[in-house]
Amino acid sequence: MIKVWFSILIIVLPSINLIAQETDSIIKESDTILIHLGDTDSLDAKLPFSLSELDKDSIAEIEEYNLIPESEKSDITVNLLKPPITDSPQATLKHFVNTMNRSYRLVNKGYKLSQEQSGWVLSDEVKVLENQAEYLFERSIYCLDLSDIPESIRDNIGFDLAFRLKEILDRIDLPEWAEVPNYVEVKDDLENNKYPSLLKWTIPNTDIVISRIQDGERAGQYLFSAKTIAQIPEFYEKIEHLSYVDNKFVSRDFYKFYISTPGHLMPPKWTSLLPMWSFKMYFSHTVYQWIGFIFTFLLAVLITKIFYWFLIVKFKDSAHGLKTWTKVLYLFLMVLLIDGLHYLNQLINLTEQVFILYTMLFEIMGWVITAMLVFKLIQAISTTILTSGRIGKVGVETTYTRAILSLIAIISAVAVLIYGLSRIGVSLLPLLTGLGIGGLAIALAARSTIENIIASFTLFAEKLYKVGDRINILGYDGRIEGIGIRSTQIRTLQGPLVSIPNEKMVTVEIENIEERPYIRREFDVTITYDTSLGKIKEAINILNDILAVKETSEGEIHPNVSINDPEFPPKVHFEKFNADSLNIYVSYWFSPPDRWKALEHAEWINLQIFEQFNKAGIDFAFPTQTIQMSDS
């Protein structure tokens, strides 16, 4: 996709050039040239300076302090992972100047070779030279203390600052190497002086300081100080109009070449297709860079709208789980898009304040979107788990699964955002301090809520009840309809919905009716006092027979199977003499404990008793009162 964007840009720009030639409104007629692929001087002719002056090796060979010792050359070419020697101001300054000059020569050589070769892409030979030049350039950046620059823009800003620092050094008279403190002098100063004077060294007649790092991973190394790094743009602006020093090898126009051509150090081959007017400089950037920047921004807006339409608008009425996953996909594509914009920025090669503003803006957007992506991803996983059927739609397990995953999502998103803020230079100490004080204030203000939340964890751990259970608590008899983090909702048998704080649910007695293994029924059958002993025994036998399991036809199940558990058989006893009746006690246990089925069975038992007692001529007693009246 990125190659397609720039193919469009390459096609559009020549067309704009033709229009400009016809109207004479953009460039003068004398400046217009016909661009042909493979014209070795085409790009060089368009630039506001000449690259032919780069070839000054003879001057470098005359200047002895610019010659690199063979030992250092060996270290660079053989020991690629060995860091530069920065143990003294002399070592740091010498390494910076020499490696920048060597990188400059390699870029010059590769650029000329690229212009001489035909084709649309850089040859392998040119790419090797480019890689060597970038390697040396990175070793030059090693000499800069970039600790105060946000990590996200440190590499690119390091390139820009190294270029400008070299431009500054090429325009001033540097002291002879013997006048710059070396390792022996530094060591002697540190060992023999209570207050060493060589903790920093300033280039004569400047404010450019090379200082010793006191702590951290690079403690003991001498680097161009962080303060000097911050002042490089100001220094460059002051000396930019000065001529290069002519008594030493300088990287002439290296910085201008860098900021006015695409790519990092070596311009791509398609650069020769750009019209001449596109290389004119406005506000430290060429016309093609401004066009590329605007084109990239508009294209990003267009792609964002397309993604939003296909992944958000079209799925807004979909199921909740699918809609959540489409949001995840949308945010993921946004992260990829921002990475693509970073890549385009490297091709366009924005620099200075425009680069900082552009990069910081998209870094902030990138980290915010990444944090949202992490949050939505965990939320989508939570939704998938809860809708998978493995966990009930309601209940304490569902509540806590959702709550715990939501908490993980929030913590993860905040962690990503904090890490992102640290990369763009935002100090985390005030933020963390504020969070600590704010957290304490919130904890004090929400003490009762926190108590309920803690109590809900107790309910979750002990599993005292679940949604759908019938319980009896605080005089409320009903079924659990919901278990939240703060409270439990009970639908009473009378109809109202009662919400009881979880803090109370763990401190009072709970009768979980749903957890009973059976429903026990106890009742009395009363018969009259004039019932004979034989009829009393017959009544007991009738009751036992009614409660017993009788043989049924094949495939049928007798109703009394549910009350004849071997461990809990039915009980019938002539229990006591009431004031107005003879009392036969009956008890049985109904299983499973379904209340409505138990009532249906009780009705069947009652009808059987009434029918059998009437057939046997046994009368039911009812409360009676005999009043004797005397004649007196």
Side-chain angles (χ1 to χ4, degrees), residues 262-496:
H264 224 177
L265 289 180
M266 197 71 66
K269 294 284 288 184
W270 54 260
T271 308
S272 60
L273 297 176
L274 298 177
M276 184 169 62
W277 58 264
S278 68
F279 286 91
K280 291 183 179 295
M281 301 284 291
Y282 295 97
F283 303 104
S284 302
H285 290 79
T286 60
V287 173
Y288 85 82
Q289 288 173 319
W290 287 117
I291 294 176
F293 171 71
I294 296 172
F295 176 79
T296 301
F297 181 79
L298 294 178
L299 189 60
V301 172
L302 176 62
I303 294 175
T304 300
K305 286 186 173 293
I306 292 174
F307 286 161
Y308 185 82
W309 171 259
F310 281 103
L311 295 175
I312 303 300
V313 176
K314 293 197 69 173
F315 287 91
K316 66 178 181 179
D317 297 326
S318 302
H320 180 64
L322 179 60
K323 187 164 58 176
T324 303
W325 279 109
T326 57
K327 289 180 180 178
V328 171
L329 179 59
Y330 172 74
L331 293 172
F332 176 71
L333 292 175
M334 288 299 98
V335 172
L336 292 183
L337 178 62
I338 290 177
D339 286 340
L341 292 176
H342 280 301
Y343 177 75
L344 289 176
N345 173 48
Q346 291 181 354
L347 290 180
I348 299 171
N349 200 23
L350 297 175
T351 57
E352 299 183 1
Q353 297 302 318
V354 177
F355 165 77
I356 294 176
L357 179 62
Y358 174 91
T359 303
M360 294 297 284
L361 174 63
F362 281 97
E363 276 287 328
I364 293 172
M365 290 177 57
W367 285 111
V368 170
I369 293 175
T370 302
M372 294 173 61
L373 172 62
V374 170
F375 179 83
K376 284 293 183 182
L377 176 61
I378 298 177
Q379 195 176 61
I381 294 173
S382 172
T383 302
T384 302
I385 293 174
L386 295 176
T387 57
S388 64
R390 297 180 180 180
I391 300 178
K393 294 184 178 181
V394 291
V396 69
E397 293 87 355
T398 302
T399 300
Y400 274 99
T401 300
R402 183 182 292 109
I404 291 172
L405 288 177
S406 296
L407 183 62
I408 293 174
I410 293 172
I411 293 174
S412 301
V414 170
V416 169
L417 194 58
I418 290 176
Y419 175 74
L421 291 175
S422 68
R423 283 184 57 84
I424 61 178
V426 177
S427 176
L428 300 181
L429 183 59
L431 178 63
L432 295 176
T433 302
L435 287 175
I437 297 174
L440 179 60
I442 292 173
L444 292 174
R447 188 182 66 178
S448 60
T449 301
I450 294 174
E451 288 177 350
N452 285 322
I453 293 174
I454 295 174
S456 66
F457 275 98
T458 302
L459 295 176
F460 175 70
E462 295 188 3
K463 301 184 184 301
L464 301 177
Y465 48 80
K466 63 182 181 295
V467 171
D469 284 359
R470 180 186 170 194
I471 67 171
N472 193 336
I473 182 174
L474 297 175
Y476 297 107
D477 186 356
R479 292 193 177 276
I480 303 292
E481 282 206 354
I483 305 171
I485 294 178
R486 194 193 70 84
S487 64
T488 297
Q489 293 77 44
I490 302 174
R491 180 74 64 181
T492 65
L493 299 180
Q494 291 75 28

Side-chain angles (χ1 to χ4, degrees), residues 562-591:
S562 57
I563 65 172
N564 278 271
D565 190 311
E567 295 185 6
F568 301 98
K571 302 292 183 181
V572 179
H573 297 285
F574 179 22
E575 182 188 23
K576 60 184 176 181
F577 297 92
N578 295 326
D580 48 18
S581 64
L582 301 175
N583 195 83
I584 301 176
Y585 169 79
V586 180
S587 173
Y588 62 81
W589 291 261
F590 184 89
S591 179

Side-chain angles (χ1 to χ4, degrees), residues 22 56 60 77 143 153 156 167 201 243 286 288 293 337-338 340 371 412 420 440-441 458 571 624:
E22 291 293 330
K56 292 179 179 284
T77 56
C143 300
I153 61 174
N156 292 83
E167 291 286 328
W201 177 80
S243 301
T286 60
Y288 85 82
F293 171 71
L337 178 62
I338 290 177
S412 301
L440 179 60
T458 302
K571 302 292 183 181
T624 58

Side-chain angles (χ1 to χ4, degrees), residues 541-558:
N541 291 332
I542 291 173
L543 291 172
N544 280 321
D545 184 66
I546 292 173
L547 298 176
V549 178
K550 300 181 178 64
E551 293 184 2
T552 60
S553 59
E554 187 176 354
E556 293 185 3
I557 299 177
H558 195 277

Side-chain angles (χ1 to χ4, degrees), residues 8-21 26-27 31-36 42-48 260 262 269-281 286-289 291:
I8 296 172
L9 184 61
I10 292 169
I11 294 171
V12 170
L13 286 178
S15 301
I16 297 174
N17 185 40
L18 292 176
I19 297 173
Q21 290 176 1
I26 301 178
I27 60 174
D31 291 331
T32 60
I33 59 174
L34 184 63
I35 306 301
H36 294 287
S42 58
L43 179 58
D44 204 34
K46 303 172 198 176
L47 297 176
S260 60
K269 294 284 288 184
W270 54 260
T271 308
S272 60
L273 297 176
L274 298 177
M276 184 169 62
W277 58 264
S278 68
F279 286 91
K280 291 183 179 295
M281 301 284 291
T286 60
V287 173
Y288 85 82
Q289 288 173 319
I291 294 176

